[in-house]
Each structure stands twice: as C-alpha cells, then as structure tokens.
C-alpha cells in the first residue's frame, strides 16, 4: 500500500481501538466506582454523581472519536490527503 493509505489505515485502526476502549469502560464504569467506594477512594454518598460524571465523560470521548472517524472516512472518499 502507498504510505498515505497505510497512515489512514493506522489512524482508522487507532480510532476503532479508542471506540473499543470507551465501550469497555462504559460497560464497567459502575463496577469501577463501586470498587473505589469499597476501597475508600470515593465517599459512598458521591458514588452516583461520580458514575454520572464518568458516563458523561465517556459519552463525550465516544462522540469525539465518532466525529474523527467520520471526517477520516469522508476525506478518504474525497481522495484528499490526510
């Protein structure tokens, strides 16, 4: 493959890996917060708020990754350099 395609493929692979990471964190973020409460790192009365903040952060990260992926695919379809 030409270097440009290799670079776009690498970027797309990293974006997919980012999506997978965010997905896995979203699946387990409530367990992570519960473990932090059990270890005394987070006060029990703040656990729900922390879960919501983490969920919002993960949603924002997912959105940024999705926008980046759409832009990358649009550039590749148009034949523009990265």
């Amino acid at each position: 493959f030409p270097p440009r395609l290799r670079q776009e493929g690498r970027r797309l692979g990293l974006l997919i890996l980012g999506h997978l990471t965010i997905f896995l964190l979203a699946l387990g973020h409530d367990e992570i917060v519960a473990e932090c409460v059990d270890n005394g790192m987070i006060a029990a009365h703040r656990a729900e708020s922390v879960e919501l903040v983490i969920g919002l952060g993960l949603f924002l990260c997912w959105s940024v990754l999705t926008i980046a992926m759409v832009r990358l695919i649009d550039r590749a379809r148009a034949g523009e350099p990265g």
Side-chain angles (χ1 to χ4, degrees), residues 1-78:
F1 292 111
R4 181 176 157 268
L5 287 179
R6 251 191 307 237
Q7 186 178 16
E8 286 178 351
R10 191 175 313 122
R11 285 181 186 165
L12 184 61
L14 288 174
L15 288 171
I16 292 170
L17 182 62
H19 274 94
L20 180 62
T21 302
I22 297 298
F23 178 73
L24 293 175
L25 286 172
L27 285 177
H29 80 283
D30 52 339
E31 287 87 4
I32 294 169
V33 171
E35 190 69 29
C36 288
V37 169
D38 289 344
N39 290 331
M41 297 170 62
I42 299 173
H45 67 280
R46 294 189 185 255
E48 188 174 338
S49 298
V50 172
E51 276 189 50
L52 289 173
V53 169
I54 291 172
L56 178 63
L58 291 172
F59 176 75
L60 291 174
C61 290
W62 183 274
S63 299
V64 168
L65 287 171
T66 301
I67 291 168
M69 185 179 290
V70 168
R71 287 183 178 172
L72 179 70
I73 292 169
D74 282 345
R75 276 196 314 261
R77 281 187 184 157

